[in-house]
């Protein structure tokens, strides 16, 4: 029983990873792509790891759960660093973007 | 001193969980590594360790988890919808919001929570201001933006970390 549930959870996780990858291809600029990459891929990967926990249990399950927590903590931090670095090195927002307060404030220099 | 002991214990317990074995060689390496790391990371890790022993904070953390996961799932369905929709209904931009949280730990968690929830990605934190990339801007009024993006987490994070 737990094997079946584990497999179902892993399948849902893979589906979310797939959506994340489609987003990575379809969305227009780096900031939007990071949105797809962080949200869908984080939840997808966490679901796969939780699926492993339900499927196998025991020592492997505990390790999978710890990995899920690390992914949950590190993936948004990584996305934040990438977005900040991209903006500071001059990557422009997509032409359809509505506003860019970060550039208006010159990356925070005017906000001191 | 208490901070160092907490730090040592946390790293050591993590090590035990990850190796999942009580063989002497594993435990000895674990103790050595935990000691080394807790000495090296003393300045950057766990400021204000007295907060670790206040049970009310854990209670609020447990309340925060379901709220957080609800928004994470909603964020994923939202992004999946925008990505799979043939016309890609996006209206992106970077907005600036203000937070009333003070401690670094709380701000970090706020930024991470914002990144994982519907349509928003923290680009930078400068003082009290967060710069947030929003995939679908619904309003151009900073007050409302703060309301929509920040308020739903601030209530919990203030009680957990401050």
């Amino acid at each position: 029983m737990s094997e079946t549930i584990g497999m179902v959870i892993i399948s849902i996780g893979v589906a979310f990873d797939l959506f994340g990858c489609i987003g990575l291809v379809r969305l227009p600029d780096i900031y939007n792509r990071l949105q797809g990459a962080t949200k869908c891929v984080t939840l997808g990967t966490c679901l796969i790891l939780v699926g492993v926990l339900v499927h196998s249990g025991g020592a492997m399950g505990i390790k999978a759960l710890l990995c899920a927590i690390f992914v949950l903590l590190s993936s948004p931090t990584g996305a934040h660093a990438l977005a900040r670095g991209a903006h500071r090195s001059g990557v422009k927002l997509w032409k359809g973007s509505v506003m860019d307060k970060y550039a208006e404030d010159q990356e925070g220099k005017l906000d001191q | 001193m208490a901070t160092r002991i907490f730090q040592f214990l946390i790293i050591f317990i993590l090590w035990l969980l990850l190796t999942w074995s009580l063989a002497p060689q594993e435990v000895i390496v674990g103790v050595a590594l935990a000691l080394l790391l807790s000495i090296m990371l003393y300045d950057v890790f766990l400021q204000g360790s007295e907060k670790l022993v206040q049970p009310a904070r854990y209670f609020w953390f447990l309340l925060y988890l379901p709220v957080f996961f609800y928004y994470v799932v909603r964020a994923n369905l939202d992004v999946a919808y925008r990505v799979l929709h043939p016309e890609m209904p996006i209206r992106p931009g970077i907005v600036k919001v203000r937070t009333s949280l003070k401690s670094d730990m709380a701000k970090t968690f706020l930024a991470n929570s914002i990144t994982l929830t519907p349509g928003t990605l923290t680009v930078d934190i400068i003082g009290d201001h967060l710069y947030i990339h929003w995939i679908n801007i619904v309003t151009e009024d900073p007050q409302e933006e703060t309301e929509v993006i920040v308020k739903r987490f601030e209530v919990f994070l203030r009680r957990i970390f401050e």
Side-chain angles (χ1 to χ4, degrees), chain A residues 74-98:
Chain A
S74 59
S75 129
T77 316
H80 157 74
L82 280 173
R84 183 172 182 272
H87 202 288
R88 291 196 169 221
S89 57
V91 179
K92 292 276 179 294
L93 268 72
W94 177 51
K95 57 181 177 351
S97 299
V98 183

Side-chain angles (χ1 to χ4, degrees), chain A residues 19 22-23 26 31-32 35 39-40 43 59 63 73 77 80 84 88 97-102 105 108 111, chain B residues 18 20 76 83 85-86 88 91-94 96 112 115 117 119-120 122-124 126 129 131 133 135 140:
Chain A
F19 293 149
I22 296 174
R26 282 201 71 195
Y31 308 100
N32 289 305
Q35 299 250 12
K39 286 180 230 311
C40 287
L43 185 73
K63 285 178 197 176
L73 285 175
T77 316
H80 157 74
R84 183 172 182 272
R88 291 196 169 221
S97 299
V98 183
M99 60 169 108
D100 187 355
K101 287 276 170 63
Y102 197 44
D105 287 355
D111 192 41
Chain B
L18 275 175
W20 202 257
N76 277 277
V83 163
H85 195 287
M88 273 205 303
R91 197 164 172 273
I94 293 180
K96 178 180 174 184
N112 277 5
T115 298
T117 51
T120 48
T122 313
V123 177
D124 205 352
I126 291 163
H129 289 114
Y131 294 90
H133 182 265
I135 203 168
E140 308 214 347

Side-chain angles (χ1 to χ4, degrees), chain B:
Chain B
M1 195 60 209
T3 314
R4 265 176 210 244
I5 292 169
F6 267 129
Q7 233 168 295
F8 174 79
L9 282 178
I10 288 170
I11 298 171
F12 186 58
I13 290 170
L14 254 170
W15 169 270
L16 286 183
L17 287 174
L18 275 175
T19 56
W20 202 257
S21 118
L22 285 174
Q25 65 268 36
E26 302 267 22
V27 175
I28 291 170
V29 174
V31 170
L33 269 180
L35 261 179
L36 185 69
L37 283 176
S38 56
I39 292 167
M40 275 169 60
L41 300 178
Y42 182 61
D43 296 334
V44 289
F45 189 51
L46 275 187
Q47 270 128 28
S49 59
E50 75 281 355
K51 289 177 187 165
L52 274 171
V53 286
Q54 296 169 353
R57 294 178 189 278
Y58 292 97
F59 171 72
W60 282 105
F61 186 67
L62 287 181
L63 276 186
Y64 171 63
L65 281 181
V67 177
F68 175 66
F69 279 110
Y70 165 72
Y71 281 116
V72 169
V73 171
R74 234 184 73 182
N76 277 277
L77 297 176
D78 180 71
V79 171
Y81 163 74
R82 287 182 202 290
V83 163
L84 297 178
H85 195 287
E87 283 152 25
M88 273 205 303
I90 58 173
R91 197 164 172 273
I94 293 180
V95 300
K96 178 180 174 184
V97 298
R98 173 183 277 283
T99 171
S100 58
L101 297 174
K102 291 283 172 281
S103 77
D104 287 349
M105 191 80 163
K107 279 186 200 161
T108 311
F109 267 79
L110 179 67
N112 277 5
S113 305
I114 286 172
T115 298
L116 285 175
T117 51
T120 48
L121 174 93
T122 313
V123 177
D124 205 352
I125 309 176
I126 291 163
D128 285 344
H129 289 114
L130 291 132
Y131 294 90
I132 287 166
H133 182 265
W134 202 353
I135 203 168
N136 191 38
I137 293 179
V138 291
T139 163
E140 308 214 347
D141 172 32
Q143 204 58 44
E144 262 179 79
E145 285 159 0
T146 308
E147 203 68 36
V148 174
I149 299 176
V150 176
K151 282 288 179 290
R152 58 189 174 207
F153 298 122
E154 259 186 357
V155 189
F156 292 99
L157 290 172
R158 182 172 303 116
R159 292 192 169 94
I160 298 169
F161 293 109
E162 300 218 318

Side-chain angles (χ1 to χ4, degrees), chain A:
Chain A
M1 187 59 197
S2 72
E3 287 207 352
T4 320
I5 299 174
M7 279 305 183
V8 170
I9 298 177
I10 292 177
S11 312
I12 299 173
V14 172
F16 273 119
D17 271 2
L18 177 69
F19 293 149
C21 294
I22 296 174
L24 213 54
V25 176
R26 282 201 71 195
L27 290 168
D29 68 356
I30 177 171
Y31 308 100
N32 289 305
R33 286 178 174 173
L34 275 173
Q35 299 250 12
T38 47
K39 286 180 230 311
C40 287
V41 174
T42 307
L43 185 73
T45 312
C46 286
L47 279 178
I48 292 175
L49 290 165
V50 170
V52 170
L53 169 71
V54 176
H55 185 274
S56 311
M60 175 94 99
I62 299 285
K63 285 178 197 176
L65 200 62
L66 280 177
C67 291
I69 294 170
F70 287 139
V71 169
L72 213 54
L73 285 175
S74 59
S75 129
T77 316
H80 157 74
L82 280 173
R84 183 172 182 272
H87 202 288
R88 291 196 169 221
S89 57
V91 179
K92 292 276 179 294
L93 268 72
W94 177 51
K95 57 181 177 351
S97 299
V98 183
M99 60 169 108
D100 187 355
K101 287 276 170 63
Y102 197 44
E104 279 169 31
D105 287 355
Q106 295 174 6
E107 270 107 35
K109 278 186 205 121
L110 296 186
D111 192 41
Q112 295 306 317

